[in-house]
Amino acid sequence: MKPKEIIALIKQEVKPALGCTEPIAVALAVAKAAEIISENCPCGKDWRLTADFRLDVSVSGNILKNGMGVGIPGTGMVGLPVAASLGAVCGDSSLGLEVLSGLTPQAVERAKELVSEGCVHISVADTEHLLYVKATVSVEGGLEASAEVDPHAYAVIEDDHDRIVETSFADRILMSSESAAAAKEYRPEAYDLTVKDIWDFARTAPFEDISFILGDRELNLALAREGLRGDYGLKVGKAIRENQKEVFGDDFLSFAMGMTAAASDARMAGSTLPAMSNSGSGNQGITVSMPIIAYAMKYNVADEPLARALILSNLVAIHIKHFLGKLSALCGCVVASTGSACGIVYLQGGGYDEVCYAIKNMAGNITGMVCDGAKVGCAMKVASGVSCAVQSAVLALRGTCIPSTDGIVEDDVEATIRNVGAIGSAGMKATDSMILDIMLCK
């Protein structure tokens, strides 16, 4: 891949996201459907707050799993119904994963009313797509429409959290996946990266071309500080930072674990601050960046080496996710913390070989951590991932690497990455189904 294509790939996969991206994908699809009604009826946007309407949202099992128990920004509530109703009431689809940035107290109250009145219906779609949302908005009356029937519209999201592939109004297709694909800056079929390519790009790309990645620090550090200030979720980060003397100490490992977990605490419990996401996940974006940002804070690292470490970390995570898929039974912190291990190796003076060692150490250590949905408990998994990342980086810098005689690790780092992807995608399909069954039957 050419440097400009790599940069386009990063910008596609690393972007701000307000709230957990699975319910946000639902809010985005609903918002788009509601906007289509506004565009095709002489009613403006005010109908969202006054008209009677019904929301029918059909989602893949993985979307349901990750949306059941996670906090929705600014609401004090969890789950897909309130996310869907907020998308209808105040969503702005032009903002992508920040679709709910226009949240107001009035909108929150209206959204809660829709949920309590039974206007929101969530179902599991019969689809092979792991990431799928079809949101239909039907207005029951009170709008003058160009069609002879009550206004109804739908929007479909597939494969990426913000990739709308089809829209319709009054049973007429407005946009199809072909036009959506044509608008993409980065073409998936052009993907041709290796860890060596990533390493070379991170070291040699002009700083002015990659300095945008410092947005990781702006957004995710703000979330970490919010998590430490407030009482979010399980307060994992706060507990680590407040137990320095008795348990954790004040070393880099404890600092990185505490700051990263605090950002996850805030995000998963409904903070209204956005995260800089990676591969469609805010928690992955936090985990891929905050340990590196914490290292830079602890040891006064300048912006340019920090940016190069963040580019390396983000690209390694994107690379592994290419073989794993956006949603799976494998916890995303496995991928993200592998990326941060590589960034830590870089900041401590390691080379390409040590980066490969860190990836293999992570593959032989933390692979197998399951994803049992997005929720406040994810902050504990994030902290565990950071601990493993630092451990793997330290060992790699000493020339220690899990040998190819062990488990899924191979001499070739690319083969090792493909093994992780195969386990998380094909190998854990039954696990994914069982996890969802357990969650639904509790």
Side-chain angles (χ1 to χ4, degrees):
M1 293 175 65
K2 297 176 181 178
K4 66 178 182 180
E5 292 175 318
I6 297 175
I7 290 173
L9 172 63
I10 298 170
K11 289 184 176 180
Q12 177 179 301
E13 300 293 352
V14 180
K15 61 185 71 172
L18 176 60
C20 178
T21 47
E22 279 72 54
I24 290 302
V26 168
L28 178 60
V30 174
K32 183 63 177 178
E35 289 164 2
I36 290 170
I37 291 176
S38 297
E39 292 163 4
N40 287 274
C41 301
C43 54
K45 293 183 179 181
D46 290 343
W47 68 271
R48 297 188 185 196
L49 294 173
T50 58
D52 295 326
F53 55 91
R54 174 187 171 103
L55 305 179
D56 291 282
V57 184
S58 181
V59 300
S60 59
N62 287 78
I63 292 286
L64 181 64
K65 180 180 73 173
N66 283 345
M68 290 174 63
V70 69
I72 307 303
T75 66
M77 298 177 66
V78 301
L80 296 181
V82 69
S85 56
L86 281 172
V89 171
C90 66
D92 182 349
S93 70
S94 68
L95 299 177
L97 297 180
E98 295 183 278
V99 60
L100 298 183
S101 293
L103 206 64
T104 64
Q106 181 187 18
V108 171
E109 288 307 309
R110 172 64 170 150
K112 290 180 178 180
E113 287 176 6
L114 291 172
V115 174
S116 65
E117 292 170 3
C119 300
V120 186
H121 304 269
I122 308 293
S123 63
V124 178
D126 181 12
T127 177
E128 294 182 357
H129 294 276
L130 296 179
L131 198 167
Y132 178 89
V133 180
K134 180 178 181 180
T136 302
V137 179
S138 305
V139 183
E140 297 178 359
L143 298 181
E144 294 181 7
S146 56
E148 295 181 357
V149 297
D150 286 336
H152 60 278
Y154 72 73
V156 177
I157 286 175
E158 286 180 359
D159 300 333
D160 288 320
H161 293 79
D162 56 353
R163 182 171 180 256
I164 298 174
V165 299
E166 185 172 290
T167 58
S168 170
F169 176 73
D171 301 321
R172 177 170 56 91
I173 300 297
L174 303 178
M175 183 272 288
S176 66
S177 57
E178 288 77 12
S179 58
K184 292 172 74 70
E185 293 182 10
Y186 162 72
R187 294 174 294 109
E189 63 270 18
Y191 187 90
D192 184 22
L193 271 184
T194 65
V195 175
K196 184 62 165 61
D197 296 332
I198 293 169
W199 169 254
D200 290 340
F201 177 81
R203 287 189 309 111
T204 62
F207 175 54
E208 59 268 23
D209 290 347
I210 61 172
S211 59
F212 67 87
I213 203 66
L214 294 173
D216 266 358
R217 178 177 59 187
E218 177 185 353
L219 295 190
N220 293 339
L221 183 56
L223 259 178
R225 287 170 170 161
E226 176 68 10
L228 293 176
R229 277 194 300 267
D231 289 325
Y232 289 96
L234 302 181
K235 297 174 277 189
V236 178
K238 206 170 190 179
I240 293 172
R241 298 299 298 142
E242 291 179 353
N243 282 274
Q244 295 177 27
K245 293 182 180 179
E246 295 85 357
V247 181
F248 292 101
D250 194 27
D251 55 12
F252 162 64
L253 173 58
S254 298
F255 183 57
M257 288 173 62
M259 295 297 285
T260 310
S264 180
D265 282 325
R267 178 177 177 271
M268 304 311 281
S271 169
T272 55
L273 295 178
M276 186 67 82
S277 67
N278 179 290
S279 303
S281 167
N283 260 358
Q284 287 173 197
I286 289 167
T287 309
V288 88
S289 64
M290 272 311 304
I292 297 166
I293 295 164
Y295 186 95
M297 293 170 67
K298 192 82 170 174
Y299 301 111
N300 298 313
V301 174
D303 281 357
E304 181 169 342
L306 171 59
R308 296 190 183 281
L310 288 171
I311 288 289
L312 174 63
S313 179
N314 276 282
L315 275 174
V316 166
I318 291 167
H319 184 49
I320 300 173
K321 288 292 284 187
H322 178 76
F323 298 97
L324 180 64
K326 288 293 174 71
L327 296 175
S328 76
L330 191 68
C331 178
C333 96
V334 173
V335 175
S337 53
T338 300
S340 59
C342 296
I344 292 168
V345 165
Y346 173 83
L347 289 180
Q348 291 194 313
Y352 169 69
D353 287 342
E354 287 74 26
V355 164
C356 293
Y357 295 165
I359 293 171
K360 294 178 187 180
N361 289 342
M362 290 294 290
N365 182 359
I366 199 174
T367 299
M369 180 186 288
V370 298
C371 171
D372 55 344
K375 68 261 181 237
V376 293
C378 289
M380 295 185 70
K381 295 186 178 185
V382 164
S384 297
V386 175
S387 176
C388 291
V390 175
Q391 178 185 355
S392 294
V394 168
L395 290 172
L397 290 162
R398 293 168 62 92
T400 301
C401 176
I402 295 177
S404 59
T405 54
D406 286 21
I408 64 171
V409 176
E410 300 199 28
D411 288 329
D412 179 10
V413 70
E414 300 299 333
T416 301
I417 288 171
R418 287 193 296 271
N419 290 343
V420 172
I423 290 169
S425 55
M428 297 180 73
K429 280 186 177 179
T431 303
D432 211 18
S433 178
M434 181 174 288
I435 290 170
L436 182 57
D437 287 344
I438 291 171
M439 292 174 66
L440 290 174
C441 294
K442 284 196 299 184

